[in-house]
Amino acid sequence: MSKLYVVGTPIGNLEDLGARALRVLGEVGAIAAEDTRVTSRLLARHGIRKPLVSYRAPVERRGLPRVMAALAEGDVALVSDAGTPAVSDPGQALVSAAWAAGHSVVPIPGPSSVTAALSIAGYGGPGFTFVGYLPRKPGDIRRLLQSLRDEPRPAVAFESPYRIAKSLALIAEGLPERSITVARELTKLHEEVLRGTAAEVAAALGERARGEFTLVISGV
């Protein structure tokens, strides 16, 4: 049976692609990519040419048969646009299908905005809570924040530039005294890290709501 390699790719800086990931991407028969254009640029940077199979959200199940067919022929690498696949990115259905078909699934660790943001936030606590992307609806965000009110562990979340201002306002409303670290465009040219209460961070961020955001909310 073949191997499905779940490969972590850079979250911004292409120099962060590890030697093992490079080797695997160069050796597999095909690469299942969230966005083939993004992956093509990464591969070109490192002189790798491989067949690419589109495997993207929100229609990842449409790409599942194509990837499984490629797995029947040989090893396949699964990559997302940035970071680790199947963690707030497409991949869970493919990983489950690969296991069910008798293939091996092998993790190739890489850069993570979750651990990168946690490492610079400076919040203590026994572990952390990862909530993925914040809910789209204000009521759902309020309920999430309520569940964090007595949580001793820091919480990590993702947010888009289109909703960051509203989300910070809701955090300022629900957890006004908590410290929050907001990392924008981690490892990229315009990387920025802001720390304070949600209201303070929102004021400091101002109109610079561009790029991808990782939020770390301190625990109790």
Side-chain angles (χ1 to χ4, degrees):
M1 303 299 279
S2 302
K3 293 180 180 179
L4 174 67
Y5 291 97
V6 181
V7 181
T9 55
I11 58 177
N13 193 319
L14 297 185
E15 294 179 0
D16 290 337
L17 187 65
R20 186 181 177 207
L22 270 174
R23 177 180 60 78
V24 167
L25 292 174
E27 291 178 351
V28 295
I31 299 172
E34 179 182 4
D35 188 325
T36 56
R37 296 166 298 180
V38 172
T39 300
S40 292
R41 291 194 291 270
L42 175 65
L43 297 179
R45 168 70 179 268
H46 296 284
I48 298 173
R49 292 186 177 182
K50 289 291 173 179
L52 296 177
V53 181
S54 178
Y55 189 78
R56 61 186 180 86
V59 291
E60 59 176 296
R61 287 195 177 276
R62 293 183 188 176
L64 188 57
R66 294 193 295 271
V67 182
M68 293 304 294
L71 262 176
E73 299 295 326
D75 295 343
V76 172
L78 170 66
V79 299
S80 63
D81 292 349
T84 303
V87 181
S88 291
D89 275 323
Q92 291 185 1
L94 175 57
V95 168
S96 295
W99 280 121
H103 299 295
S104 298
V105 180
V106 182
I108 308 296
S112 166
S113 58
V114 174
T115 53
L118 271 170
S119 71
I120 59 175
Y123 304 140
F128 65 94
T129 299
F130 175 59
V131 301
Y133 278 94
L134 289 172
R136 290 176 177 269
K137 296 180 179 179
D140 292 336
I141 294 182
R142 288 189 175 97
R143 281 187 285 275
L144 172 63
L145 296 175
Q146 179 64 34
S147 72
L148 297 176
R149 190 172 299 278
D150 299 318
E151 175 60 64
R153 299 171 297 179
V156 184
F158 297 148
E159 188 53 286
S160 78
Y162 311 107
R163 298 190 297 271
I164 185 65
K166 291 182 179 179
S167 292
L168 286 174
L170 289 169
I171 296 171
E173 170 194 300
L175 300 172
E177 303 302 322
R178 294 284 184 88
S179 176
I180 179 173
T181 297
V182 175
R184 181 175 73 90
E185 293 287 86
L186 278 172
T187 80
K188 300 178 184 178
L189 179 62
H190 299 293
E191 175 182 280
E192 180 178 29
V193 179
L194 300 170
R195 194 172 186 271
T197 65
E200 292 169 343
V201 168
L205 183 63
E207 300 300 319
R208 299 190 305 281
R210 293 185 293 274
E212 296 300 320
F213 291 83
T214 304
L215 290 66
V216 186
I217 304 172
S218 66
V220 175

